[in-house]
Amino acid sequence: MANDGIWMLCTNSAIRRASRQLGQLYEDAMGDTGLKGTQFTLLSQIRQDGQPALKALAEAMVMDLSALGHTLKPLIRDGLVELVADPRDRRVKRVRLTTLGEAKQADLVARWQVAQSRFDQVFGAEKSAELRRALALISSPEFADAFENGLRN
Amino acid sequence: MANDGIWMLCTNSAIRRASRQLGQLYEDAMGDTGLKGTQFTLLSQIRQDGQPALKALAEAMVMDLSALGHTLKPLIRDGLVELVADPRDRRVKRVRLTTLGEAKQADLVARWQVAQSRFDQVFGAEKSAELRRALALISSPEFADAFENGLRN
DNA sequence: GGAATTTACTGGCATATACCACTATATCTG
DNA sequence: CAGATATAGTGGTATATGCCAGTAAATTCC
């Protein structure tokens, strides 16, 4: 499996490489819906959060605020999500699924489940859950803090 | 650590999210060199392979050939790598580091090592190596094949 | 209460990455 | 050998993602 690349030494290279591969596999499973993996992720997270402020959503996704804004554009253009101003704090905008967006998301969940169970089957369900836990740990602010400032216990 | 997102269910979401975080951390460690993590990865892989054909490099990186072409553009523009035609097969182009590219790569290795050892320290060196193995497995063509066509043993 | 600061978002620019259509070579086949 | 097919790259278009500079609204501080 090409054990001789920097990805065997550099976790960053390794994770990006695996990202590309997994992105392909999941996207194929998404099929003709025309939506990307990231878009499914976003729709699902928005659905779960209800009506998150952009800032909060960006943080949850571990994504730059402006990157989130850009990424939402096609979804807004296609009428899957919409932005609503927060009446309490007029700096804040909240994202929510439109009716169309909810339908699309539900459709995608079914397809996603196929991809996810294939992954679990090939990689092993237990190892899969463990991998997600490890990745969530890496994605946490605590991890970033320890990385940047050293482990001071 | 926000245990309630889709990233706890969807390995694809989880890996992209962790990619973003790790990309940030490593890039910060790269400092003022002006190069991105991906560019370091590419320079390092090219260095290791010597003078790989674009196709072969794309495969090793698990990257689309045209994506690789686009990604190399800034590196070519900045004089870090160059393309040379293969005399045997004139369809083939090979990439190689320029003298400047070699110097830059060597410089980056030092910085990268700082980032990688911080990662190992925070995540655990053994777990870290194990994670890279898991990611390399996921990135392998065998994995993709099993994912797409099912495990037929 | 008004100036200074912080916060939330927007828009422009640059790289990362994929797909598709097209071109140039090379290889295969009758 | 000529036509069909396969292979390697290129260029265009679209999404993904980050940084920086700006804008507007809220909060803080005399």
Side-chain angles (χ1 to χ4, degrees):
Chain A
M1 83 175 98
N3 281 310
D4 54 338
I6 357 106
W7 46 83
M8 288 313 285
L9 303 173
C10 173
T11 308
N12 187 38
S13 303
I15 205 167
R16 294 189 79 86
R17 187 161 168 267
S19 255
R20 288 190 289 267
Q21 169 98 11
L22 223 48
Q24 287 303 110
L25 298 178
Y26 274 70
E27 196 148 327
D28 289 351
M30 287 302 182
D32 52 17
T33 58
L35 289 204
K36 305 280 186 179
T38 300
Q39 302 182 318
F40 166 69
T41 303
L42 271 175
L43 291 182
S44 299
Q45 195 57 31
I46 293 167
R47 172 169 173 277
Q48 181 172 41
D49 288 355
Q51 221 165 290
L54 290 183
K55 183 83 192 312
L57 182 56
E59 267 164 22
M61 296 282 298
V62 188
M63 186 180 280
D64 181 89
L65 174 60
S66 78
L68 174 61
H70 295 313
T71 303
L72 285 175
K73 289 236 171 88
L75 296 175
I76 294 170
R77 181 199 58 202
D78 298 343
L80 301 179
V81 305
E82 55 191 0
L83 299 181
V84 292
D86 183 322
R88 318 258 182 209
D89 185 336
R90 293 191 308 174
R91 288 171 303 184
V92 172
K93 284 189 186 169
R94 297 179 172 280
V95 212
R96 70 170 171 221
L97 298 184
T98 60
T99 308
L100 179 59
E102 283 178 7
K104 201 85 172 178
Q105 197 274 338
D107 180 26
L108 287 170
V109 168
R111 296 163 183 267
W112 162 75
Q113 239 153 9
V114 174
Q116 185 60 40
S117 43
R118 281 193 194 176
F119 181 87
D120 287 353
Q121 205 174 342
V122 177
F123 193 69
E126 189 38 58
K127 275 182 65 191
S128 174
E130 193 184 314
L131 175 61
R132 287 192 298 278
R133 281 192 292 275
L135 294 170
L137 169 65
I138 291 171
S139 307
S140 71
E142 293 76 30
F143 187 88
D145 183 63
F147 187 99
E148 284 162 346
N149 305 312
L151 294 169
R152 29 144 161 271
N153 32 43
Chain B
M1 80 174 101
N3 281 311
D4 54 339
I6 358 106
W7 46 84
M8 288 313 283
L9 302 173
C10 174
T11 307
N12 187 39
S13 303
I15 205 168
R16 294 189 78 87
R17 187 161 168 265
S19 255
R20 288 189 291 266
Q21 168 94 284
L22 223 48
Q24 286 302 111
L25 298 179
Y26 274 70
E27 198 149 325
D28 289 352
M30 287 302 182
D32 52 16
T33 58
L35 289 205
K36 305 281 186 177
T38 299
Q39 301 182 319
F40 166 69
T41 303
L42 271 175
L43 292 181
S44 299
Q45 195 56 32
I46 293 168
R47 172 170 173 276
Q48 183 173 39
D49 288 355
Q51 221 165 293
L54 291 183
K55 183 80 192 314
L57 182 56
E59 266 164 22
M61 297 283 297
V62 188
M63 186 181 280
D64 181 87
L65 174 59
S66 79
L68 173 62
H70 293 313
T71 303
L72 285 175
K73 290 238 170 84
L75 296 175
I76 294 171
R77 181 200 58 204
D78 298 343
L80 302 178
V81 305
E82 54 192 359
L83 298 181
V84 292
D86 183 323
R88 317 259 182 208
D89 186 336
R90 293 192 307 173
R91 288 170 303 183
V92 172
K93 284 188 188 171
R94 297 179 172 281
V95 212
R96 70 170 171 221
L97 297 184
T98 61
T99 308
L100 179 59
E102 282 178 9
K104 201 84 173 182
Q105 197 273 339
D107 180 25
L108 287 170
V109 168
R111 296 163 184 267
W112 162 76
Q113 239 152 10
V114 175
Q116 184 60 40
S117 43
R118 282 193 193 176
F119 181 87
D120 287 353
Q121 204 172 347
V122 177
F123 192 69
E126 188 40 57
K127 275 183 64 191
S128 174
E130 193 183 314
L131 175 61
R132 287 193 297 279
R133 280 192 294 275
L135 293 170
L137 170 64
I138 291 172
S139 307
S140 72
E142 294 75 32
F143 187 89
D145 183 64
F147 187 98
E148 285 162 346
N149 305 311
L151 295 168
R152 26 141 164 271
N153 32 43

